Amino acid sequence: MAKFYPDITAPLQDFIKDQKVFFTATAPRQGRINLSPKGIDTFRCIDNKTVAYLDLTGSGNETAAHLNEDSRMTIMFCSFSEKPLILRLYGQGKVIHPRNEDWQSFYSLFNPVPGERQIIFMQVDFAQTSCGTGVPIYEFKEERQAIIDWANNKGEQGLYEYWQAKNLKSIDGLPTKLLED
């Protein structure tokens, strides 16, 4: 049975801290819905109504493009341990770039990760839990290092060139504003 919460309670924040993966979902007004898995130690509960994650360079930049057009966002956590639970956070997201005035105050919450490109910030409207009893039980083995190794091999200039080639527009042609001043 689904339960709704006006904010992220302390037990829900503890649940979030224990998860190794989360999923983000955004959509433009017209076009494709984006659903992305995220990992590594990049997610933070700032308070009971505010969350953020350090966004790493990827094959695309759909979330940023969508949030620039329509701030609706859902973040989902799913327990893969013995105790089942699914948690969805619904809210309004925005992108914070290194050039933005509030970058440093949010960036200080994270450990630096090679390939970081922006912070995704979300003001939570409400949280919802559901049972998760249909989700299989998995044992966490380790974090993948591939994205970190890839970013280290690219280097700062290589990442910038990759952003120019692959991260400035969504698959539907929407601007991501990654490199705009």
Side-chain angles (χ1 to χ4, degrees):
M1 178 68 88
K3 286 179 82 173
F4 292 88
Y5 302 84
D7 55 21
I8 312 166
T9 64
L12 294 178
Q13 289 182 41
D14 290 340
F15 172 75
I16 289 169
K17 287 178 192 167
D18 290 341
Q19 303 315 302
K20 302 296 186 192
V21 64
F22 61 99
F23 302 85
T24 65
T26 57
R29 287 184 216 112
Q30 298 287 316
R32 293 167 183 85
I33 296 168
N34 185 61
L35 176 62
S36 293
K38 308 289 183 187
I40 309 177
D41 180 27
T42 57
F43 193 89
R44 299 292 182 270
C45 288
I46 298 169
D47 59 39
N48 67 346
K49 294 291 276 183
T50 314
V51 298
Y53 68 89
L54 187 61
D55 187 55
L56 306 180
T57 300
S59 56
N61 197 1
E62 300 302 301
T63 301
H66 293 174
L67 292 178
N68 287 328
E69 184 184 85
D70 188 331
S71 65
R72 294 172 304 138
M73 183 175 198
T74 300
I75 298 175
M76 185 182 83
F77 297 87
C78 185
S79 171
F80 294 102
S81 67
E82 295 288 328
K83 185 177 178 187
L85 184 68
I86 295 170
L87 169 63
R88 291 177 184 88
L89 305 176
Y90 298 92
Q92 307 302 308
K94 76 173 189 173
V95 182
I96 302 171
H97 297 104
R99 65 182 177 270
N100 297 137
E101 185 178 304
D102 49 357
W103 169 264
Q104 194 53 48
S105 64
F106 287 105
Y107 184 69
S108 66
L109 301 171
F110 301 95
N111 298 318
V113 179
E116 58 200 27
R117 67 179 166 194
Q118 57 207 0
I119 293 169
I120 304 298
F121 167 94
M122 187 171 88
Q123 191 67 44
V124 176
D125 296 330
F126 65 92
Q128 180 218 356
T129 59
S130 55
C131 66
T133 55
V135 175
I137 297 171
Y138 283 99
E139 189 173 311
F140 176 73
K141 184 175 177 183
E142 64 186 22
E143 295 283 359
R144 292 182 197 266
Q145 292 299 304
I147 195 166
I148 293 170
D149 294 343
W150 175 85
N152 279 328
N153 288 336
K154 283 274 186 204
E156 198 171 312
Q157 182 61 34
L159 283 170
Y160 183 83
E161 291 167 2
Y162 184 86
W163 293 346
Q164 287 180 310
K166 307 259 186 198
N167 284 180
L168 299 185
K169 289 195 182 286
S170 74
I171 57 177
D172 292 319
L174 297 172
T176 67
K177 301 183 180 178
L178 181 62
L179 299 176
E180 293 181 13
D181 290 330

